[in-house]
Amino acid sequence: MGKIFYILGKSSTGKDTIYKNILEDETLGLKDIILYTTRPIRDGETDGKSYHFVSEKEYEDIKKSGLIIEERSYNTMHGVWRYFTVKDSSIDLSNNNYVIIGVLKSFIDTRDYFGSDKVVPIYIEVEDGLRLQRALNREKKPENRRFKELCRRYLADSEDFSEDKIKDAGIDKRFENVDLSSCINEVKEYIRKNR
């Protein structure tokens, strides 16, 4: 029986980089689960690869069909953006192991849907000051410049990833991302041992 390795953590902890590196490592044999979103596509993203980009109407139709595993909505500076996981033909735990990236609530909902024996948390953390500096450096790039959204996300993380919520979710293993290469290697070894 396959497992879903769920990468989660606050914003700007390096989750995306770690996720991409793990997915590209063919020795791990992991497939990705591509999330759905109603937010606009960004430069450099590809529909069906970065996310499945859908309209609000398409989201409503999928929801009515009962195929949503987990979902969350963010009231951003640009309107409401939804992110959600759909039980579609790409998820086959009888034959494959997967890696996915998300937040604490999405991990809990996915774990509750598939079972705690099938969903393994990989919690990435970075000291808050370093995390904020990384986020600022990213947003200073001309193609980004979304400082209000950065502030909203940073403050929301304190609530969303409180120590009580992490404990209640049953997460006891943490991966400190001070040195990216070391963190990636530690995560890969953990996946090998827990497949």
Side-chain angles (χ1 to χ4, degrees):
M1 191 59 94
K3 291 187 178 177
I4 298 171
F5 293 93
Y6 212 107
I7 298 174
L8 66 153
K10 296 177 181 177
S11 59
S12 301
T13 55
K15 298 183 306 289
D16 290 322
T17 303
I18 292 167
Y19 168 81
K20 288 174 188 171
N21 195 290
I22 288 168
L23 191 57
E24 290 170 357
D25 187 337
E26 294 178 4
T27 67
L28 295 174
L30 301 175
K31 294 183 174 282
D32 59 341
I33 296 174
I34 299 170
L35 299 179
Y36 289 65
T37 185
T38 60
R39 79 154 167 76
I41 193 168
R42 295 177 183 154
D43 288 343
E45 292 181 325
T46 304
D47 186 29
K49 186 163 176 62
S50 306
Y51 290 95
H52 296 289
F53 294 93
V54 297
S55 67
E56 186 69 20
K57 166 121 179 40
E58 289 169 310
Y59 158 77
E60 292 293 341
D61 291 344
I62 294 168
K63 187 172 179 91
K64 285 177 189 171
S65 72
L67 295 174
I68 293 181
I69 295 168
E70 64 80 27
E71 65 177 303
R72 58 242 185 245
S73 300
Y74 300 101
N75 190 9
T76 73
M77 305 304 288
H78 310 285
V80 175
W81 290 348
R82 301 180 193 281
Y83 295 83
F84 51 103
T85 307
V86 174
K87 178 65 171 115
D88 58 22
S89 61
S90 69
I91 302 174
D92 177 11
L93 285 175
S94 61
N95 292 304
N96 301 302
N97 290 303
Y98 296 88
V99 62
I100 190 171
I101 189 170
V103 296
L104 188 59
K105 182 188 178 315
S106 63
F107 159 72
I108 292 167
D109 291 346
T110 302
R111 180 201 61 201
D112 291 349
Y113 185 90
F114 288 106
S116 58
D117 59 324
K118 295 180 187 70
V119 183
V120 180
I122 297 177
Y123 183 71
I124 310 297
E125 65 181 7
V126 171
E127 185 274 324
D128 280 343
L130 178 57
R131 191 170 66 82
L132 181 57
Q133 187 60 56
R134 288 178 180 177
L136 283 170
N137 291 344
R138 183 180 61 218
E139 292 306 318
K140 285 180 182 177
K141 294 178 182 175
E143 66 271 20
N144 293 336
R145 316 293 292 175
R146 294 181 300 268
F147 294 108
K148 287 182 181 178
E149 178 61 14
L150 178 151
C151 292
R152 184 204 63 79
R153 288 175 61 193
Y154 192 84
L155 293 172
D157 280 343
S158 296
E159 168 86 19
D160 296 344
F161 288 94
S162 71
E163 285 300 319
D164 287 342
K165 287 183 180 179
I166 293 168
K167 183 180 176 184
D168 289 346
I171 296 172
D172 52 10
K173 173 78 174 150
R174 298 175 188 224
F175 299 87
E176 186 75 24
N177 184 12
V178 176
D179 177 74
L180 181 60
S181 181
S182 296
C183 185
I184 289 170
N185 289 334
E186 186 182 354
V187 170
K188 286 181 179 181
E189 188 57 30
Y190 183 76
I191 290 171
R192 286 187 184 97
K193 288 180 180 175
N194 290 281
R195 279 189 294 199

